[in-house]
């Protein structure tokens, strides 16, 4: 049939029966999907959505054709080709699809025959429906065949290309199904969790895939290079990365995450490198993100930190540099410990009376706000995020305050 061809006219009773079936397409499709899932092998777990879409789409399209409507084949053909492609790409047998089509066809035909008996449909009308369904199923089977052949060919292609696609899919937050397809094409076992690394290279360097173990995926993603591997291989692959990248490189290793969280892990690993460059995190050849998870979290939203600094820290920003430094030092220790003046003095190595003088000034600056639990919590997190930047020489908060206040 052509892309917009209408099916030959059916007897009026058959048309009437198909019309009565329109409102029940979804529940029938759900029932067929459930039965198919129960009968198919365990390897097809997670196929429910694609099975339902295929059954529901085919039923709706078949009814449209039977009712003489202009019903393009484009969408339904594309979906069944994708079914065939996905099954082949995952290395499954073609028999899975053929068996599913046979079972779905049998269930739908049983439903049509039951309705035919209930409504005393003529044998001629039932035969016409049978011929139409046979031709329709043959057409869909041909689409599955085309998709399966394409999937088989793709699976046999260079797995380096497939692995590059897998990295792209993982970093873009693709569905589990998409990642499984690309992992199968690349002959890479997709683990329950992965370790994501961001490699900071010098002089436009690049790490070749063959420099790492086969369990590692890697690709240059400016300004850093990504490496993804199973957690149990992370230590060995980190050493390989260091050897391949050179002594001037730096590797940020995130803690293990599920594959669907790779985009977040990639952000965290790169954030850790940025914090090293900002001198918030100590500069080391290998950065263990787990050890600096608090810093990564506190600096996850730099724009929000800047805005909160202008709002919550305005009294401190207005102080002289020396006053701001000693008051911030005292306030942060109090927020972290809630200790008395003598205890804070012991931590800072000053006289308790000095702490009392400072605390008096802090109360003058912040007043009743220091008795607000929510304000105090925000102030603690904000200072823990901001003070390391100030100590490292970042003066942007003070410059921004002066610009706003003139």
């Amino acid at each position: 049939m052509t892309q917009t061809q209408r099916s030959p006219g059916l007897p009026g009773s058959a048309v009437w029966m198909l019309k009565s079936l329109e409102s029940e397409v979804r529940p029938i499709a759900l029932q067929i999907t459930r039965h198919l899932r129960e009968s198919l092998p365990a390897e097809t777990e997670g196929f429910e959505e694609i099975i339902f879409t295929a059954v529901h789409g085919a039923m709706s399209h078949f009814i449209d054709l039977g009712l003489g409507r202009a019903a393009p084949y484009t969408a339904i053909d594309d979906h069944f080709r994708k079914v065939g492609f996905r099954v082949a790409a995952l290395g499954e047998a073609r028999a899975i699809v053929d068996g599913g089509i046979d079972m779905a066809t049998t269930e739908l035909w049983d439903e049509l025959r039951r309705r035919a008996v209930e409504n005393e449909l003529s044998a001629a009308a039932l035969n016409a429906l049978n011929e139409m369904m046979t031709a329709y199923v043959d057409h869909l089977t041909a689409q599955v065949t085309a998709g399966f052949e394409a999937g088989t060919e793709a699976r046999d292609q260079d797995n380096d290309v497939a692995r590059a696609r897998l990295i792209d899919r993982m970093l873009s937050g693709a569905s589990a199904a998409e990642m499984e397809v690309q992992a199968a094409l690349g002959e890479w076992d997709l683990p329950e969790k992965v370790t994501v690394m961001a490699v900071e290279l010098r002089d436009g360097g690049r790490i070749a895939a063959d420099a790492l173990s086969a369990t590692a995926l890697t690709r240059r993603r400016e300004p850093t290079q990504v490496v993804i591997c199973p957690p149990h291989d992370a230590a060995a692959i980190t050493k390989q990365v260091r050897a391949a990248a050179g002594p001037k490189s730096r590797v940020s290793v995130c803690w293990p995450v599920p594959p669907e969280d790779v985009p977040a892990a990639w952000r965290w690993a790169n954030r850790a490198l940025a914090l090293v460059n900002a001198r918030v995190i100590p500069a080391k050849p290998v950065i263990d993100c787990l050890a600096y998870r608090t810093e990564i979290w506190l600096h996850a939203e730099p724009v929000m930190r800047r805005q909160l600094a202008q709002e919550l820290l305005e009294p401190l920003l207005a102080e002289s540099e020396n006053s701001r430094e000693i008051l911030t030092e005292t306030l942060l220790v109090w927020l972290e410990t809630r200790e008395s003046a003598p205890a804070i003095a012991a931590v800072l190595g000053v006289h308790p009376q000095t702490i009392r003088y400072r605390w008096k000034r802090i109360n003058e600056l912040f007043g009743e706000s220091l008795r607000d639990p929510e304000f105090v919590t925000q102030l603690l997190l904000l200072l823990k995020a901001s003070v390391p930047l100030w100590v490292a020489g970042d003066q942007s908060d003070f410059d921004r305050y002066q610009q706003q206040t003139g």
Side-chain angles (χ1 to χ4, degrees):
M1 296 181 183
T2 63
Q3 294 296 309
T4 57
Q5 181 180 345
R6 296 182 185 222
S7 180
L10 292 172
S13 56
V15 170
W16 177 86
M17 194 177 75
L18 284 179
K19 202 167 187 62
S20 71
L21 195 64
E22 274 193 290
S23 62
E24 299 180 50
V25 167
R26 181 176 177 81
I28 294 174
L30 285 171
Q31 176 181 306
I32 292 175
T33 299
R34 185 173 64 254
H35 291 167
L36 282 173
R37 185 65 201 90
E38 291 170 353
S39 65
L40 291 175
E43 291 85 352
T44 61
E45 185 176 357
F47 273 34
E48 286 87 349
E49 183 177 351
I50 197 170
I51 292 173
F52 172 76
T53 303
V55 174
H56 188 278
M59 283 184 62
S60 299
H61 189 245
F62 178 76
I63 290 173
D64 285 341
L65 289 174
L67 297 178
R69 298 168 181 160
Y73 271 79
T74 306
I76 197 72
D77 285 359
D78 183 58
H79 186 77
F80 274 80
R81 281 194 292 269
K82 286 180 179 177
V83 170
F85 184 94
R86 181 178 176 189
V87 170
L90 290 176
E92 303 294 345
R94 166 67 189 269
I96 288 178
V97 190
D98 292 338
I101 290 177
D102 289 344
M103 180 175 293
T105 302
T106 299
E107 287 216 17
L108 183 56
W109 182 243
D110 287 345
E111 178 67 22
L112 289 174
R113 283 195 303 179
R114 182 185 65 77
R115 289 169 176 266
V117 171
E118 290 178 354
N119 294 282
E120 299 180 350
L121 202 68
S122 68
L126 194 57
N127 285 337
L129 277 174
N130 185 30
E131 290 176 2
M132 179 183 168
M133 179 176 286
T134 299
Y136 189 75
V137 171
D138 287 345
H139 177 84
L140 296 184
T141 302
Q143 307 313 305
V144 171
T145 299
F148 190 85
E149 290 174 351
T152 302
E153 181 180 351
R155 191 182 65 218
D156 295 336
Q157 288 178 351
D158 185 355
N159 68 2
D160 285 344
V161 175
R163 288 184 173 209
R165 287 200 205 100
L166 174 58
I167 292 174
D168 290 340
R169 299 294 191 278
M170 295 177 87
L171 291 176
S172 64
S175 67
E178 288 181 276
M179 285 190 280
E180 287 170 4
V181 169
Q182 295 302 323
L185 290 173
E187 298 180 0
W188 193 75
D189 293 330
L190 188 66
E192 291 185 3
K193 289 191 174 183
V194 296
T195 295
V196 179
M197 306 178 193
V199 187
E200 189 176 65
L201 299 161
R202 302 300 184 202
D203 305 321
R206 184 181 300 271
I207 301 172
D210 58 8
L212 308 179
S213 299
T215 56
L217 302 172
T218 188
R219 190 175 190 186
R220 182 73 177 179
R221 294 285 294 233
E222 299 295 344
T224 54
Q225 182 154 346
V226 60
V227 177
I228 301 174
C229 66
H232 59 80
D233 286 341
I237 290 173
T238 300
K239 292 180 180 179
Q240 295 170 4
V241 168
R242 291 278 299 137
K248 294 183 179 180
S249 65
R250 182 169 288 120
V251 186
S252 176
V253 185
C254 190
W255 55 90
V257 298
E260 59 268 25
D261 290 340
V262 163
W266 177 237
R267 286 198 308 273
W268 298 331
N270 279 283
R271 175 69 63 190
L273 290 175
L275 292 175
V276 169
N277 293 327
R279 292 186 289 175
V280 172
I281 290 177
K284 299 177 182 178
V286 177
I287 307 300
D288 180 5
C289 292
L290 184 61
Y292 301 101
R293 186 150 52 178
T294 299
E295 287 82 354
I296 293 170
W297 173 47
L298 290 174
H299 291 271
E301 292 289 347
V303 175
M304 183 176 292
R305 188 208 65 79
R306 290 198 299 266
Q307 292 179 349
L308 286 174
Q310 297 303 309
E311 295 175 17
L312 272 62
L313 301 181
E314 182 178 357
L316 276 177
L317 299 178
E319 292 288 293
S320 66
E321 182 176 349
N322 181 63
S323 175
R324 181 171 62 236
E325 182 177 335
I326 62 176
L327 293 179
T328 300
E329 178 185 59
T330 304
L331 177 57
L332 186 54
V333 173
W334 177 79
L335 289 168
E336 291 175 330
T337 65
R338 304 299 177 88
E339 291 285 2
S340 62
I344 295 175
V347 172
L348 298 180
V350 298
H351 193 278
Q353 191 60 30
T354 300
I355 297 300
R356 294 188 182 96
Y357 286 136
R358 293 180 184 179
W359 188 247
K360 179 181 178 183
R361 179 58 180 155
I362 289 171
N363 271 280
E364 290 173 352
L365 294 176
F366 292 100
E368 289 298 316
S369 296
L370 292 175
R371 293 171 177 79
D372 181 348
E374 183 175 352
F375 176 84
V376 168
T377 300
Q378 289 183 338
L379 193 60
L380 171 61
L381 296 176
L382 181 57
L383 287 177
K384 286 181 73 69
S386 301
V387 169
L389 292 174
W390 299 347
V391 172
D394 187 334
Q395 299 294 304
S396 59
D397 287 336
F398 315 118
D399 295 341
R400 190 172 291 106
Y401 171 76
Q402 290 173 358
Q403 290 171 3
Q404 292 178 357
T405 60

